Amino acid sequence: GAGVSQSPSNKVTEKGKDVELRCDPISGHTALYWYRQSLGQGLEFLIYFQGNSAPDKSGLPSDRFSAERTGGSVSTLTIQRTQQEDSAVYLCASSSQMGESYGYTFGSGTRLTVV
Amino acid sequence: GNSVTQMEGPVTLSEEAFLTINCTYTATGYPSLFWYVQYPGEGLQLLLKATKADDKGSNKGFEATYRKETTSFHLEKGSVQVSDSAVYFCALSAAGTALIFGKGTTLSVSS
């Protein structure tokens, strides 16, 4: 596609429920990244994929968070047993390859609210 | 570990004022440095970048110079406009790692 697409754009869920957030990167981009943006906390790195593998999962806050990527394209971030502190905007980005000089293209994000 | 520190906001300026947003970094090796901008209601966009020491990135009237001796990458614009109101993020990328962002600086420009 022309840009990075994320769905849903907004999600309200009850505490304790599971949620799935989807990211559709730019076609042909091999690297995909998930970040979390909370008020006053900037962008917190969660995980990145090179192809279908995740060399760095160091940013996932707890074992309630997991992510997968299939076919080198779409990625899903799953949060199990959601807590109120999970409320944030979840951003996905992709780049043509993993390398320090490549800028990222970001999606518009999924705003998650846990009530 | 690698990190980015940028000045706290909000920064409030009048139209045509000079803008500086400070950014310093800590990193091993020689990272690439970036500024991203997030306009109200929009996603993050790459504003400019520099990949080696003394490089100057520029775009839309904004500039930033990669200063290795002071580990800085300050963002500047000579004359801001109301349309520049946004959140600005400084970021670095070191070999084999994803972008690390600062906490963001909110700029508000009034006419």
Side-chain angles (χ1 to χ4, degrees), chain A:
Chain A
V4 178
S5 177
Q6 292 188 247
S7 61
S9 55
N10 280 285
K11 176 72 176 178
V12 180
T13 190
E14 292 182 352
K15 179 181 171 181
K17 301 282 190 183
D18 298 352
V19 295
E20 284 191 352
L21 312 179
R22 176 188 168 104
C23 173
D24 203 341
I26 291 174
S27 178
H29 277 194
T30 59
L32 184 150
Y33 315 84
W34 283 99
Y35 287 83
R36 179 166 71 174
Q37 185 175 19
S38 306
L39 196 61
Q41 295 300 313
L43 278 82
E44 176 188 5
F45 168 75
L46 299 178
I47 185 171
Y48 92 83
F49 290 89
Q50 183 62 43
N52 291 334
S53 63
D56 188 353
K57 307 178 184 179
S58 63
L60 294 178
S62 73
D63 58 8
R64 295 186 296 106
F65 288 72
S66 62
E68 65 174 12
R69 188 179 186 194
T70 55
S73 181
V74 172
S75 176
T76 303
L77 177 68
T78 301
I79 309 173
Q80 296 178 309
R81 305 181 302 282
T82 52
Q83 304 295 312
Q84 288 186 328
E85 62 263 27
D86 300 334
S87 296
V89 177
Y90 290 81
L91 294 170
C92 176
S94 68
S95 66
S96 56
Q97 35 184 306
M98 179 61 178
E100 61 183 46
S101 65
Y102 290 89
Y104 299 176
T105 301
F106 279 85
S108 296
T110 294
R111 181 175 298 278
L112 175 67
T113 304
V114 182
V115 297

